[in-house]
């Protein structure tokens, strides 16, 4: 195929412009939050991100990993942009970042669904939700059922998964990160006070005339003391009732 010198020059200039634009693009910080116990899933995720040019991955690791060599193993991965330790304060730019959990124990899902923030991981997730930032659970990192569990137990765990999805937490694989980000509505990242959105003073003041849905995430915000006053057509989820029972809050 014959290409004129002028056409060749145009192609070269276009490629150079694209390369310059790529170099100037600021990567989105992605915090890979690690559990206390080591897992090869962390190295696997980092190796899978080596060809990704959209995210700068920062493993968030226990301080004890400094001594046992686990932190060094992650730092040696080409995709690692730098380590963060649990003893450090939360990143100031949390609102513009992604937090990802390659390993997702069942108790992490349950506590997140019930809004219990008594561990480093659940406190991090709560901060992400309050900041309106993206939180991702890797699908491959979810704990598997053995097949011997009672149906009631399985249904409850599945309900917890549905609840965390309601909170805006994504469950996907690394290759789906970009696609999920493009599908997210901009309003997902805005911080709207829960009381303003879900607790209008009178039924006629409800946003768009929609019914008020009370979930586990807003039981405490809507309650006055130990009482949560319901309007005639309020919808209360099962998890909200569980949360209220846990907090000794009654519905009236």
């Amino acid at each position: 195929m014959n290409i004129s010198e002028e056409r060749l020059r145009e192609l070269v200039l276009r490629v150079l412009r694209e390369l310059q634009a790529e170099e100037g693009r600021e990567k989105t910080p992605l915090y890979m939050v690690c559990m206390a116990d080591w897992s090869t899933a962390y190295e696997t995720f980092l190796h899978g991100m080596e060809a990704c040019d959209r995210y700068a991955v920062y493993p968030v690791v226990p301080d004890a990993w400094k001594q046992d060599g686990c932190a060094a193993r992650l730092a040696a991965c080409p995709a690692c942009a730098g380590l963060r330790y649990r003893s450090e304060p939360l990143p100031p730019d949390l609102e513009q970042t992604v937090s990802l959990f390659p390993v997702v124990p069942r108790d992490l899902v349950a506590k997140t669904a019930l809004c219990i923030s008594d561990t480093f991981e659940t406190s991090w997730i709560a901060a992400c939700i309050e900041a309106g930032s993206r939180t991702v659970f890797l699908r491959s990192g979810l704990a598997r059922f053995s097949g011997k569990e009672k149906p009631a137990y399985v249904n409850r765990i599945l309900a917890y998964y549905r609840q965390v999805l309601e909170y805006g937490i994504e469950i996907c694989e690394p290759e789906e990160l970009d696609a999920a980000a493009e599908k997210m509505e901009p309003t997902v990242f805005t911080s709207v006070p829960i009381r303003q959105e879900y607790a209008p003073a009178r039924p006629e003041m409800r946003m768009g005339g929609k019914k008020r849905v009370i979930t586990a995430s807003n039981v405490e915000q809507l309650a006055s003391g130990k009482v949560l006053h319901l309007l005639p057509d309020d919808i209360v989820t099962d998890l909200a009732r569980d949360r209220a029972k846990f907090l000794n809050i009654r519905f009236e």
Side-chain angles (χ1 to χ4, degrees):
M1 180 175 63
N2 295 325
I3 302 179
S4 66
E5 183 177 348
E6 183 178 354
R7 176 57 177 165
L8 180 60
R9 187 184 301 109
E10 291 177 358
L11 291 174
V12 171
L13 290 175
R14 187 176 69 181
V15 170
L16 289 175
R17 283 195 297 268
E18 291 176 354
L19 288 174
Q20 290 175 347
E22 194 71 25
E23 291 176 356
R25 181 187 302 170
E26 185 175 351
K27 294 185 177 181
T28 299
L30 186 152
Y31 296 108
M32 181 183 75
V33 184
C34 303
M35 305 299 293
D37 295 329
W38 170 259
S39 172
T40 56
Y42 304 129
E43 283 182 310
T44 300
F45 174 75
L46 281 173
H47 289 312
M49 296 294 287
E50 289 179 9
C52 179
D53 58 359
R54 181 166 183 168
Y55 302 101
V57 184
Y58 296 89
V60 182
V61 304
D63 289 60
W65 287 13
K66 295 178 183 179
Q67 287 74 37
D68 58 20
C70 293
R73 289 176 62 175
L74 296 181
C77 296
C80 178
L83 294 175
R84 288 189 66 91
Y85 291 96
R86 293 188 177 207
S87 58
E88 299 181 44
L90 287 172
D93 60 346
L94 200 60
E95 186 174 350
Q96 290 82 33
T97 66
V98 179
S99 294
L100 182 139
F101 292 75
V103 177
V104 189
R106 199 163 289 159
D107 61 346
L108 176 64
V109 178
K111 288 185 176 184
T112 300
L114 295 173
C115 304
I116 300 174
S117 306
D118 62 348
T119 65
F120 175 85
E121 296 85 7
T122 53
S123 296
W124 184 288
I125 292 172
C128 289
I129 292 175
E130 292 172 3
S133 60
R134 290 181 68 192
T135 304
V136 180
F137 290 167
L138 276 197
R139 189 184 301 118
S140 57
L142 301 179
R144 299 293 188 267
F145 291 109
S146 67
K148 300 178 182 179
E149 299 90 345
K150 297 294 184 182
Y153 177 83
V154 174
N155 290 336
R156 177 50 58 96
I157 297 302
L158 293 178
Y160 288 151
Y161 284 126
R162 287 192 291 270
Q163 187 65 63
V164 300
L165 289 171
E166 286 185 25
Y167 297 160
I169 295 174
E170 305 164 41
I171 300 178
C172 64
E173 290 300 333
E175 58 270 17
E176 300 170 323
L177 280 174
D178 289 350
E182 292 172 359
K183 292 179 182 178
M184 294 289 283
E185 295 292 334
T187 53
V188 172
F189 299 99
T190 61
S191 298
V192 180
I194 294 178
R195 184 174 296 275
Q196 176 183 337
E197 183 179 357
Y198 292 104
R202 301 187 301 276
E204 62 269 20
M205 291 176 64
R206 296 185 183 188
M207 296 178 63
K210 295 181 180 180
K211 294 182 178 180
R212 185 173 68 162
V213 178
I214 299 174
T215 67
S217 64
N218 55 28
V219 166
E220 292 174 88
Q221 287 82 2
L222 298 183
S224 176
K226 290 295 182 180
V227 179
L228 198 161
H229 296 280
L230 298 176
L231 297 171
D233 55 351
D234 282 347
I235 298 173
V236 183
T237 67
D238 291 339
L239 289 176
R241 296 185 185 279
D242 291 343
R243 180 64 176 168
K245 183 177 181 181
F246 177 81
L247 296 171
N248 294 319
I249 294 174
R250 70 179 189 277
F251 294 101
E252 289 186 357

